[in-house]
Each structure stands twice: as C-alpha cells, then as structure tokens.
Amino acid sequence: MGRLVIVSNRAPSIDGTGDSGGLVVALKDALAKDGGLWIGGAPEQTDTPAPSLVFHHRPDFDIGLFELEPQLYRDYYLGYSNSLLWPALHGRVDLIDVQPRYAAAYSEVSRRLARMIFETVRADDVIWVHDYQLIPLAHELRALGCGNRIGFFLHIPVPGLETFKAIPEWRDLAAWLAEYDLIGVQTQRDLAHLINIFRHTLRGELRYNGNMGINGREVVLGCFPISINVEGFRRLAEEGSVGTPPPPLPRLIGVDRLDYSKGLPQRLAGYETFLSQYPRFRGQVSLLQIAPPTRDDVEAYRDIREELELRAGHINGLYGTVDWTPVQYIHRALPRDELAVLFRLSRVGLVTPLFDGMNLVAKEYVAAQDETDPGVLILSQFAGAAEEMPQALIVNPHDPQDMAEATRTALEMPLAERIARHAALYDYLANHDVEYWSASFLKRLLAVETIDLHWISRYAGQQPGVKAS
Ligand code: GDG
C-alpha cells in the first residue's frame, strides 16, 4: 500500500493543537506509517484561493489545505451541507432549505477538490473520504481517471428512502455514493436504509456477501460504529481537574453541540416532568447542560438556541429557589479535560438525541466513570450508540414520561446494578475503541478487489492510477 490519504471538510491544525479528541487520534498511527496525508478545508476563506493544495508538514503526517472563496464556502457548507443534507439525513425535512446555488456549489467544491487531489495522489495511495460534505468526490475523481481505492465513511445517519427523496438531488447522491469502493456507515439501521436506497434508485442487488451489485460492479458496504480513545478518556477523567467544582448534588449532565438533532428541548421537557412528578427530588439534584454554539449562521440553529434558553428559564423560574438552580446551562465550549471530570462527577449522563449517527458523548460518559461508584447512562433509542449499549437505560426522547421514569430509576439504582451495567458497557468499549474502528475500516478497504478496468476506462480511456498528462 502507498500512503493513506484522508479527505475531510476540515483538516486538523497545522501545529497539532486540538488533536486530543476524535478522528486525528484515531488515524494518527495509520497516517504516520507511510507518510500519510490529510486533505481538508483551510480554516479561512479567501477571494483568491490557491489553485492547488497548500501543503504543510507535520512530524506525524502532511496536511494539504484547499482554499475556497467565502461565497462558495457559504453555499457549499452552510447551504447545501448544513441547510439541506444535515436536516434531511436527520429526518428533519421540515427544516430543509432548497436553493439551486447550494447544489451547484456542492458539486463545484468536489469537482475542484478532485482535481487538486488527482494532481497529488500516487497510484498506490488509498483514499478515505469522510462525511456528507464530500459525497461526490469519488465520482469526480473517477471522471478524471483516478483508479485508486476510495473509501467513504458517513458519520451521520442514513434516513429511510422516503425521507431521502426529499433531497432534490437524491438520485445523484445515490449514484455518487455507488462510485466508492467501500461505503461505511455507523449502524445496522443505516446499512438497511442504504441498501433500500440503492435497490430503489439504482436497481442495486444485494449479494450473498452483503455487498451490492450496482451498474455491473460490486460496491462493498459495511457497518463500522465509530468510538473514542477509551483508555485515554478514562485517564483524563481520573487525572484532570475542574476550575470551579460544581455544587455537591447528584448531577445529571448533558453535553451536546447546540443542534436540533440532539433533542435538547425534549430533554428539558423530560426533566420538567420528572421534577413535577417526583417533588422529593426538588432541591436534591441539578441538571448541568453544556451546549456550545455551532453553525450560528443557519437560522434553524438560532431558533433552537432561543427555544432552549426559554425552556431552561421556565424550569428555573417554576422550581428554582434562592439556594437551588434546577438547570445550569452553559452556552460555551469547555476544555476537554474539564468535561471528562464533570462526566465522572455526574450521577446520570443524559444522551437523548432525536436522531444521531453514533453519539460519542455516550461513550465518553461511560469511559469517564469511577468503576467502583459509576453513574448511569440514559440513552435515546435513536442514537446510533444504542445498538451497542443495551445496558444503558434506553428511552424515547419524544416521551417526557419515559424520560422522567428513567431519571428516577437512574437516581435510585442500587450500587451493585450500577456497577454491573457499567462493567458490561466499559468492557465492550475497551474492545471496540476508535483504533479498532479505523483499523476495521482500512482492513476492509484494503481487501476490496481491484477496480473494474472497464468501468474506469469508460470515463477516461486509460489505466487506473495513471494520471492524464
Ligand atoms: C458527528 C455525528 C457521530 C461537545 N461539547 C464540547 C465538546 N464536545 C465534544 C464531545 C464529543 C464531540 O464534541 C461531539 O461528538 P458527537 O458524536 O456527540 O456529535 P457530532 O458533533 O454531531 O458528531 C455523531 C460523530 O460525528 C462521530 O462520527 O458520533 O453522531 O453527528 O467528543 O465531547 N468538547 C469540548 N468542549 C465542549 O464544550 N472540548
């Protein structure tokens, strides 16, 4: 194998700051092995973008940044990606904003990026594309004659066929996806939806090995639930400290980007029902909700912020006393090590999205607990993580009564049961951490049979991996 080339909407920082969480940690080793390259959007837009990737060298891997004009970036990122694809793929078709210029910008970015990547990749490099912002990339690379192995991982959910069809370009999206060699999704639920979409849109045929025959070639499909650095997060929680320790009440904690998919108003409705039905807990527990801002330029995000603030104010006004605030709401990002400690100090972790690809907070909460006195995870049935974490208390976030019951159960759960549930969850996570995730995906991608030459030559009339001069 040549280099691993990761492509994502955003690249890691050039100086390595902010590497502590997520993908960078997961992929560092694989990238470092053969002088890997991470290609991603430059943090700032410019009116005069460079025509090629702008390279930076890090000791562990290289970074190639692509630059975009501010308007193109807005239409591609805030527009098509986050005002159409994000709500549609999360089942919120009521929030989609369809604009022809968004669709044009979305295709244009992948087209430009494909040219820049094709100038750079070597024949034996393996390309791994991440997420919904870059779905057309394999199509554009193939059109240039790129014969490299190309894998794609979708971090967010695949909705049912009828919801998917609300996206005006649904046929194109399905066809673009089918040009990858391997498509990875988070859950069995997503896999079933994807198979259904391919069947109906491209007459895809499911093969005995779980792959799909589409347009005379085989597309490999797989379910690869993403995870975290379990051991690393546990250490952060054990060793870290918080600036100001929170009040010593049993705490419920929620940590979510302020996004309508995370079910924050519904979470507060469940908490309000809990306080109303079980008055003995008033003054005895508190809910700490950390919800840093995100995509503030999109209207739906401003709306969800207002709704959350109203609801938090309503509960505090209704039940708060001079010495007790039922909801503490922080609309800022906290340092990662502080989060880890706060998870450990909280008796209940509330992870109740309406729809979520995976939800890493659920895994972080479990990893952070003290195994001799662990807290309880309350987890939405609609989070991808629910497929892997049945020992959590699984709830329907649309049902405040169910949420209230689960909250009471969690707060009253005997120590032995908390330990047993936590041990089962932790053992599973320890064996399925983020390294396991990336290694499984790459192993499958490397096992993909060589690409069908006829299919490549249809586009470019040349050998795979050989660049057009
Ligand atoms: C997408 C999919 C999928 C949150 N607040 C702060 C903070 N965070 C960190 C959490 C966690 C991460 O952000 C959020 O990850 P999630 O998985 O919960 O959600 P998305 O951002 O929506 O991610 C999701 C994920 O991709 C990976 O595939 O699981 O389903 O939607 O790590 O801890 N971190 C810091 N301060 C905060 O205030 N430092």
Side-chain angles (χ1 to χ4, degrees):
M1 163 184 165
R3 297 172 301 175
L4 173 61
V5 177
I6 302 288
V7 191
S8 63
N9 171 62
R10 249 182 242 141
S13 67
I14 294 160
D15 58 6
T17 51
D19 273 5
S20 55
L23 275 191
V24 188
V25 170
L27 297 169
K28 239 179 180 164
D29 287 351
L31 277 163
K33 223 171 27 200
D34 296 295
L37 171 63
W38 193 314
I39 296 172
E44 303 294 334
Q45 290 77 52
T46 162
D47 287 324
T48 51
S52 299
L53 295 170
V54 179
F55 288 100
H56 298 268
H57 184 67
R58 273 177 50 154
D60 37 7
F61 55 87
D62 290 333
I63 292 187
L65 297 179
F66 61 92
E67 297 178 342
L68 298 174
E69 298 88 340
Q71 185 63 45
L72 180 66
Y73 175 79
R74 275 196 294 274
D75 288 347
Y76 141 80
Y77 181 73
L78 294 174
Y80 200 84
S81 300
N82 286 313
S83 300
L84 175 56
L85 286 183
W86 178 276
L89 297 183
H90 284 89
R92 291 298 304 270
V93 291
D94 56 315
L95 294 179
I96 66 176
D97 181 8
V98 175
Q99 307 280 349
R101 68 170 203 283
Y102 291 172
Y106 185 68
S107 298
E108 169 64 14
V109 168
S110 275
R111 199 171 307 124
R112 271 199 210 174
L113 183 55
R115 272 200 305 273
M116 297 183 200
I117 294 174
F118 192 54
E119 279 172 12
T120 297
V121 287
R122 306 170 194 149
D124 55 352
D125 287 346
V126 170
I127 303 173
W128 184 1
V129 180
H130 287 263
D131 231 0
Y132 60 103
Q133 302 94 347
L134 297 172
I135 291 173
L137 199 54
H139 166 75
E140 297 294 348
L141 281 164
R142 298 303 187 211
L144 295 169
C146 176
N148 296 62
R149 285 202 171 95
I150 313 180
F152 177 78
F153 185 76
L154 184 67
H155 290 253
I156 67 175
V158 183
L161 177 66
E162 291 308 312
T163 302
F164 188 67
K165 281 173 149 179
I167 305 167
E169 296 75 26
W170 60 280
R171 286 179 195 281
D172 292 334
L173 286 165
W176 292 332
L177 279 170
E179 294 194 39
Y180 286 92
D181 296 307
L182 166 63
I183 306 170
V185 293
Q186 301 267 28
T187 59
Q188 295 296 337
R189 163 193 79 187
D190 298 327
L191 197 54
H193 286 160
L194 186 62
I195 289 169
N196 200 32
I197 288 169
F198 280 146
R199 273 197 176 125
H200 282 80
T201 316
L202 301 170
R203 295 170 189 267
E205 284 173 13
L206 194 58
R207 302 263 161 88
Y208 68 94
N209 56 6
N211 300 334
M212 290 212 87
I214 301 175
N215 296 335
R217 62 188 287 271
E218 190 161 290
V219 182
V220 182
L221 307 181
C223 171
F224 303 90
I226 198 168
S227 191
I228 59 165
N229 175 355
V230 177
E231 175 61 29
F233 203 80
R234 184 173 64 84
R235 251 183 285 119
L236 263 190
E238 281 170 358
E239 294 162 10
S241 61
V242 277
T244 318
L249 290 176
R251 202 173 351 280
L252 319 174
I253 191 168
V255 176
D256 313 73
R257 281 186 308 100
L258 183 41
D259 191 295
Y260 48 80
S261 65
K262 303 293 183 185
L264 296 172
Q266 290 79 359
R267 184 176 305 167
L268 290 188
Y271 184 57
E272 186 178 343
T273 304
F274 164 75
L275 291 177
S276 122
Q277 290 193 350
Y278 302 106
R280 66 179 183 278
F281 285 103
R282 290 182 207 159
Q284 304 301 312
V285 293
S286 71
L287 167 59
L288 171 59
Q289 178 62 56
I290 297 160
T294 171
R295 303 170 197 164
D296 267 352
D297 299 333
V298 177
E299 193 182 326
Y301 286 78
R302 290 194 292 270
D303 294 349
I304 189 75
R305 176 179 173 181
E306 272 172 29
E307 190 179 350
L308 188 63
E309 288 175 359
L310 270 176
R311 279 197 184 247
H314 167 76
I315 296 173
N316 284 340
L318 194 60
Y319 293 114
T321 57
V322 173
D323 55 357
W324 177 58
T325 309
V327 183
Q328 279 184 293
Y329 162 63
I330 299 179
H331 184 54
R332 284 188 316 277
L334 297 190
R336 193 166 171 76
D337 52 345
E338 266 192 48
L339 279 189
V341 176
L342 288 170
F343 283 144
R344 194 175 173 90
L345 292 174
S346 300
R347 172 53 59 83
V348 181
L350 282 170
V351 178
T352 55
L354 306 181
F355 209 5
D356 216 332
M358 175 55 56
N359 199 300
L360 297 178
V361 172
K363 297 186 174 183
E364 290 165 355
Y365 178 76
V366 169
Q369 296 308 301
D370 172 355
E371 63 191 8
T372 64
D373 185 17
V376 179
L377 175 64
I378 295 183
L379 181 59
S380 161
Q381 66 193 75
F382 303 113
E387 275 189 13
E388 294 174 284
M389 305 179 84
Q391 298 84 1
L393 296 179
I394 305 292
V395 293
N396 174 0
H398 299 285
D399 179 357
Q401 191 60 46
D402 193 25
M403 304 260 276
E405 274 309 311
T407 305
R408 186 190 55 80
T409 307
L411 287 166
E412 290 177 342
M413 191 178 284
L415 177 64
E417 185 178 350
R418 283 192 276 126
I419 289 178
R421 285 177 185 261
H422 174 261
L425 288 168
Y426 190 91
D427 285 354
Y428 175 85
L429 291 184
N431 289 310
H432 297 83
D433 65 0
V434 71
E435 258 181 52
Y436 175 88
W437 167 78
S438 59
S440 329
F441 185 93
L442 285 170
K443 190 170 161 205
R444 188 80 74 86
L445 183 56
L446 290 174
V448 171
E449 293 295 322
T450 42
I451 296 162
D452 181 351
L453 296 184
H454 300 296
W455 182 74
I456 294 294
S457 55
R458 228 179 44 211
Y459 290 103
Q462 60 181 340
Q463 293 294 307
V466 178
K467 293 171 193 173
S469 52

